[in-house]
Amino acid sequence: MRSKVFKALLTALEIKTPGWVKSAEIQILLNATAAAFDQPGKMVWYYSDEKALKAYADYTTNCEPESAADRRRVYQSAYDLGRKIRRITGFSEAADRERLISYLYSNIGIEMTGHLPGEIIILSCYFSRVYSPKQCRTMSLMDWGIIAGICGGGKLVFTERITQGCGRCRAHLTEKERKSDERRSE
């Protein structure tokens, strides 16, 4: 029943998302990012969605893990957020999770296509105008965690990035690790 309600809500939001919903999403993302990098947060939920997105981009340009343990913490924080989203929505079908991920990412200026698990193509990315290649690799840990959390696990590997001069980003979420991650999360 819960997933039916969230499917209907997602359908309505895909047609027209109020700016305050986008700002709230960005606030949740910023909170998870602040926790992941063990940094103080910033309030952006009351900004317009455009201003909140710019504030998030500015905030994250200073985020950098110092060690492998920090990188794991960033991934884990993002994974926990993705897993919460999966539990709240109750989405069990891959197609529903793909729609949700595409929707959430479009709200932060990232247009993607593809199938999860499997290959995704990022056609345009708001952050590619802001991030250096190093910052993009760092923040990709957040993408990996959130997407893996929503999908139930997996490893997200980028083979092309806009910030490295490519016309698009290309990544692949493996299914092999997804299955082992699902066993760990049950």
Side-chain angles (χ1 to χ4, degrees):
M1 178 64 175
R2 178 180 55 195
S3 69
K4 287 183 181 180
V5 170
F6 277 100
K7 283 181 192 181
L9 179 60
L10 180 57
T11 298
L13 289 172
E14 285 171 325
I15 295 168
K16 175 69 174 151
T17 303
W20 67 267
V21 171
K22 293 178 184 181
S23 295
E25 178 187 332
I26 295 165
Q27 182 67 65
I28 292 166
L29 182 59
L30 193 143
N31 293 348
T33 304
F37 288 96
D38 197 26
Q39 297 293 319
K42 177 178 181 169
M43 299 301 274
V44 298
W45 63 269
Y46 56 88
Y47 291 172
S48 70
D49 54 321
E50 295 90 5
K51 188 175 177 183
L53 185 57
K54 182 177 181 339
Y56 178 76
D58 292 344
Y59 179 88
T60 57
T61 59
N62 297 314
C63 294
E64 184 61 39
E66 296 180 18
S67 67
D70 290 341
R71 292 178 64 78
R72 282 190 296 277
R73 185 180 69 233
V74 170
Y75 165 80
Q76 191 61 52
S77 178
Y79 182 85
D80 291 346
L81 175 59
R83 193 167 60 185
K84 286 176 191 171
I85 293 168
R86 185 178 77 232
R87 285 184 181 154
I88 289 168
T89 63
F91 288 169
S92 59
E93 300 294 322
D96 295 330
R97 292 188 303 248
E98 285 176 23
R99 274 183 61 210
L100 176 63
I101 290 166
S102 180
Y103 167 76
L104 292 172
Y105 274 78
S106 71
N107 285 345
I108 59 170
I110 299 174
E111 297 302 322
M112 64 172 61
T113 186
H115 297 287
L116 296 168
E119 185 176 66
I120 58 171
I121 305 293
I122 297 171
L123 304 168
S124 64
C125 176
Y126 173 87
F127 301 97
S128 68
R129 295 176 276 159
V130 180
Y131 291 165
S132 69
K134 183 179 180 184
Q135 291 164 331
C136 178
R137 284 190 305 276
T138 295
M139 293 310 295
S140 292
L141 292 168
M142 292 294 295
D143 297 322
W144 173 20
I146 291 169
I147 291 171
I150 291 172
C151 290
K155 182 168 184 167
L156 186 66
V157 177
F158 281 82
T159 56
E160 294 179 23
R161 294 177 190 270
I162 297 169
T163 57
Q164 294 175 320
C166 298
R168 62 186 175 196
C169 296
R170 183 184 300 263
H172 188 88
L173 183 71
T174 63
E175 188 168 12
K176 181 180 178 191
E177 292 204 23
R178 181 179 173 276
K179 290 178 181 173
S180 64
D181 284 351
E182 281 180 344
R183 284 192 294 272
R184 269 187 264 139
S185 67
E186 289 177 347

